[in-house]
Amino acid sequence: EFENYYSGRADFDPNEVIFVEHGDSLVAFSAGVFHQTRLGGLPCHRIFLDWVGALDEHRGKGLGRYICLHCMNHVKSKGASYCTLVTQHYRVPAVNLYRKLGFEVTADQVKILWKAGESE
């Protein structure tokens, strides 16, 4: 699903995705996605922290923080001053991490927003 999502995007930038490997195994990955879209006929950018994940046996090692910061720095380097993500409320460790990184909960579905300068 991850490969299909990214391979079909005309604006795909390989720098927006980070993979963390341990030995020959992929153990964590994320993406800082800077979508160039149109809204009401006008150019619009949608900036997301997307696809954050780590294998259970590699959680608690700081990988989530590392991959999120990498992706947030990527979108910041592209000129973004904010970044959003969507997660489920029951993913308590993830929500806690996002809050520590400066994101704030903005809706019941736990849509989270980060603005540059509030937390680095």
Side-chain angles (χ1 to χ4, degrees):
E1 187 177 345
F2 181 82
E3 183 179 357
N4 289 336
Y5 178 78
Y6 280 94
S7 65
R9 284 189 33 233
D11 61 343
F12 173 72
D13 176 357
N15 294 313
E16 70 191 19
V17 181
I18 182 169
F19 297 98
V20 178
E21 296 179 339
H22 182 264
D24 292 333
S25 300
L26 174 65
V27 298
F29 63 94
S30 186
V33 184
F34 197 84
H35 289 284
Q36 297 180 8
T37 62
R38 298 189 74 74
L39 182 63
L42 299 173
C44 174
H45 294 107
R46 298 184 323 161
I47 301 98
F48 293 99
L49 181 61
D50 210 0
W51 295 90
V52 178
L55 294 178
D56 287 343
E57 60 268 25
H58 291 277
R59 291 187 178 154
K61 299 178 181 179
L63 293 175
R65 178 178 170 75
Y66 173 77
I67 60 178
C68 288
L69 287 173
H70 172 87
C71 294
M72 290 163 62
N73 284 329
H74 170 72
V75 297
K76 189 175 180 180
S77 74
K78 300 272 260 184
S81 59
Y82 72 94
C83 185
T84 59
L85 65 91
V86 177
T87 192
Q88 295 80 23
H89 68 279
Y90 58 83
R91 297 185 187 278
V92 175
V95 172
N96 289 338
L97 169 63
Y98 302 143
R99 284 185 168 147
K100 286 178 187 174
L101 292 173
F103 287 86
E104 61 185 58
V105 176
T106 60
D108 289 340
Q109 71 185 90
V110 193
K111 181 177 179 184
I112 301 178
L113 176 68
W114 166 82
K115 292 182 182 176
E118 292 181 8
S119 178
E120 304 281 331

